[in-house]
Amino acid sequence: MKIQNYINGNFHDPVDQQWLDNYNPSNGTVYGQIPNSSKADVDNAYIAAKSAFPSWSQTTLEERSRILIKISELLESHLQRFAEAESKDNGKPIALAKSIDIPRAASNFRFFGNAITQFASESHESVGQQAINYTLRQPIGVVGCISPWNLPLYLFTWKIAPALATGNCVVAKPSEVTPMTAYLLGEICNEAGLPKGVLNIVHGLGTTTGQAIIEHPDIKAISFTGGTATGAHIARTAAPMFKKLSLELGGKNPNIIFADCDYEDMLNTTVRSSFANQGQICLCGSRIFVEATIYEQFKSDFISKVKQLKVGHPSEAHTDIGALVSKPHLEKVKSYIDIAKSENGDVLCGGEEVKVQGFENGYYLEPTVIEVKDDTCRVNQEEIFGPVVTIMPFADEDDVLQMANRVKYGLSATLWTNDLKRTMRMSHQLQAGIVWVNTWMMRDLRTPFGGVKASGVGREGGFEALRFFTEAKNVCIKY
Ligand code: TXE
């Protein structure tokens, strides 16, 4: 199957007729071609977006809101089709695509369609000077949205929905590894009545298509989710042009378990926070720290639960762990298991590729738990982004706080305890953009989302996203 770019409301081949193979990770076969778009395609997308901007930015909030909510409803009505496409493209279990990815993509449009109608700005009276100041929130113009492969439609729409809600026009690029649901979204947008050129989707490699977007002098803001190295490259490229940037990058998140927690809840959630989506979520708790008094008990209970996880074909209802997204990614993740062994890490379970019957060329890996002796070892410091977690004991609060913060990343942290004072102390000191206490990945779209340190700059979510996609202008009127 060949997919095309979505520009000005129509589907087009890439100008240079350059194509890339699209792989099905569950069986390792090529099942389609996608454009490897050049600068010429990005320029065409930009021109369409620029011409659509005057009208879209002047469209009433009610009308923009209505269209976004219509997109959300159409996504919901095509749930099965989108979930199948996502699972096939990415390797994630169909049940996960159906229960999380696609519904959350639909929620993004619904949420920002509603949020824009509530987006107020401030005013300040300059007392004694007989003047009133108010803040205008104006759309930026044409903005770029670049998303990764792990939660393809969910993260793509997480950027596009607030960009459109605020009256911007968009040039967007999904990951070249998982382009399919973004391609299908174009059809839905036409059906929902989104005017031509308001959203344009170009497909291709980061180094060609993505690079053309970030280098485009008139695409004034970039919202990006992906690897930290790519984020740094985007920041360097964008700096001389003073582009506005939102960068959501990698994570190496601590999952901190105290003896006083609700044990069963913690255990079940920790299995999920370690291995959901094959561990390919920037929020996964990939470093597990357990209070020494319950360490041995936890180790044995956790390993026994992990061993029960079923690695299998993504389309099977009972699959817990599907395929990793690509062959190169599988190789990268496996290389960390070798690194762990060379650093005296103890592989407590997993560590081997799995040959799923009938799909022997798929990219499957056992869920892997590595006991590490020292928190500064590479497997404990570098983002692996696969079904691999480390575990180690800690002595007390100070000890674990030091280890939790001793990484270059700072996206999220999870804390398991029933001690309120400790919860407060630790939540305030953990270097992370999000702290979950006695839960994991509970999302409320109104909350700020993003990381500190090498996990990025800027915040998405709620009004933060609407602020990012607008320029604040102060108007001061003397009366
Ligand atoms: O990400 P890339 P990759 C981490 C994870 C993973 C590593 C690399 O550790 O192993 O990053 O993954 C586009 N200009 N995360 O290689 O390359 C690219 O086409 C403009 C964490 O997939 O960062 C894709 O659309 N764009 C992460 C997007 O950037 C460029 C999720 C992400 O790809 C570009 C994914 C360029 N020069 C990986 N180069 C998370 N935070 O959730 C690439 N791209």
Side-chain angles (χ1 to χ4, degrees):
M1 180 186 178
K2 243 181 187 175
I3 70 171
Q4 293 172 299
N5 291 329
Y6 173 68
I7 298 176
N8 208 24
N10 295 309
F11 290 92
H12 298 275
D13 280 359
V15 172
D16 295 346
Q17 288 294 328
Q18 295 294 314
W19 299 88
L20 302 166
D21 287 338
N22 191 16
Y23 285 82
N24 177 342
S26 73
N27 58 22
T29 59
V30 172
Y31 79 104
Q33 266 78 43
I34 76 160
N36 188 14
S37 305
S38 62
K39 184 174 175 303
D41 300 293
V42 171
D43 286 345
N44 288 341
Y46 169 76
I47 290 164
K50 189 181 173 213
S51 354
F53 179 69
S55 162
W56 181 245
S57 58
Q58 292 305 313
T59 301
T60 62
L61 295 188
E62 290 72 18
E63 178 63 1
R64 274 189 236 150
S65 170
R66 190 190 64 73
I67 294 174
L68 293 192
I69 291 170
K70 182 74 189 165
I71 296 173
S72 167
E73 288 166 357
L74 287 169
L75 272 175
E76 279 163 354
S77 70
H78 292 286
L79 174 67
Q80 184 68 24
R81 181 171 176 230
F82 272 81
E84 280 171 12
E86 200 76 300
S87 170
K88 186 171 179 181
D89 223 15
N90 172 278
K92 69 177 67 214
I94 179 87
L96 191 67
K98 225 169 150 178
S99 62
I100 303 282
D101 289 77
I102 308 306
R104 287 197 180 187
S107 302
N108 288 338
F109 282 107
R110 188 183 306 279
F111 173 81
F112 285 108
N114 284 318
I116 192 62
T117 65
Q118 306 294 319
F119 186 41
S121 66
E122 73 242 55
S123 72
H124 304 277
E125 186 173 14
S126 302
V127 179
Q129 294 171 295
Q130 293 186 309
I132 185 109
N133 289 275
Y134 64 91
T135 308
L136 267 182
R137 283 272 167 191
Q138 296 181 306
I140 294 169
V142 179
V143 300
C145 298
I146 300 177
S147 59
W149 45 257
N150 57 332
L151 306 167
L153 193 68
Y154 176 21
L155 292 178
F156 193 61
T157 55
W158 178 234
K159 300 177 178 309
I160 287 169
L164 298 179
T166 39
N168 297 284
C169 293
V170 175
V171 176
K173 190 192 93 61
S175 169
E176 62 274 25
V177 187
T178 53
M180 197 48 92
T181 46
Y183 167 67
L184 298 176
L185 182 68
E187 287 175 18
I188 297 275
C189 289
N190 284 349
E191 203 179 331
L194 188 73
K196 286 179 186 300
V198 170
L199 171 64
N200 304 277
I201 302 171
V202 281
H203 297 275
L205 292 175
T207 45
T208 51
T209 321
Q211 187 69 23
I213 295 174
I214 61 171
E215 281 178 351
H216 198 293
D218 297 314
I219 297 180
K220 294 289 185 196
I222 304 285
S223 176
F224 169 81
T225 299
T228 292
T230 314
H233 169 77
I234 292 175
R236 279 193 298 272
T237 309
M241 290 175 273
F242 303 105
K243 291 186 189 219
K244 220 174 166 186
L245 289 185
S246 168
L247 304 175
E248 202 270 280
L249 311 174
K252 189 74 182 176
N253 311 302
N255 178 9
I256 303 167
I257 299 165
F258 283 93
D260 71 343
C261 69
D262 293 336
Y263 191 81
E264 279 305 306
D265 191 12
M266 174 278 295
L267 196 58
N268 292 325
T269 308
T270 294
V271 172
R272 223 164 41 81
S273 67
S274 303
F275 300 113
N277 205 41
Q278 297 71 247
Q280 301 166 141
I281 305 181
C282 52
L283 303 167
C284 278
S286 50
R287 292 183 296 149
I288 304 176
F289 297 105
V290 187
E291 192 165 8
T293 51
I294 57 162
Y295 183 71
E296 289 305 324
Q297 180 69 50
F298 171 82
K299 196 161 99 173
S300 117
D301 293 342
F302 184 56
I303 299 299
S304 107
K305 285 222 177 253
V306 173
K307 283 185 171 163
Q308 288 165 28
L309 292 173
K310 186 173 177 303
V311 180
H313 192 270
S315 69
E316 278 175 23
H318 299 297
T319 291
D320 297 304
I321 310 255
L324 270 68
V325 75
S326 67
K327 181 84 176 155
H329 189 60
L330 172 70
E331 295 305 327
K332 175 193 151 176
V333 175
K334 274 171 39 189
S335 76
Y336 274 100
I337 296 168
D338 295 333
I339 291 170
K341 289 176 185 160
S342 72
E343 289 180 317
N344 295 324
D346 198 358
V347 178
L348 300 178
C349 72
E352 300 295 331
E353 261 188 78
V354 179
K355 297 288 169 203
V356 173
Q357 207 184 352
F359 307 99
E360 285 77 6
N361 293 324
Y363 317 135
Y364 301 94
L365 187 67
E366 288 175 332
T368 303
V369 181
I370 301 168
E371 185 175 53
V372 293
K373 314 278 179 296
D374 173 2
D375 74 290
T376 62
C377 65
R378 280 186 67 191
V379 278
N380 218 44
Q381 291 287 319
E382 297 176 19
E383 189 181 43
I384 300 174
F385 218 65
V388 179
V389 288
T390 62
I391 65 170
M392 67 178 290
F394 66 84
D396 58 28
E397 203 176 304
D398 287 343
D399 180 31
V400 74
L401 200 55
Q402 272 199 33
M403 293 195 289
N405 287 340
R406 196 154 45 204
V407 281
K408 70 174 183 174
Y409 297 104
L411 191 53
S412 69
T414 301
L415 192 56
W416 290 95
T417 179
N418 278 312
D419 180 330
L420 178 61
K421 289 181 181 170
R422 175 156 61 206
T423 299
M424 302 288 285
R425 278 194 302 271
M426 292 207 54
S427 310
H428 291 215
Q429 291 182 79
L430 282 163
Q431 295 168 355
I434 305 151
V435 178
W436 279 296
V437 183
N438 299 330
T439 184
W440 175 73
M441 212 160 142
M442 189 178 274
R443 291 285 299 124
D444 181 323
L445 300 189
R446 292 169 299 181
T447 59
F449 180 84
V452 298
K453 305 200 290 190
S455 292
V457 289
R459 291 292 179 274
E460 303 186 271
F463 292 148
E464 298 283 346
L466 301 182
R467 287 189 196 106
F468 173 76
F469 283 114
T470 50
E471 289 288 4
K473 179 188 283 177
N474 174 234
V475 180
C476 175
I477 304 174
K478 189 157 169 61
Y479 52 82

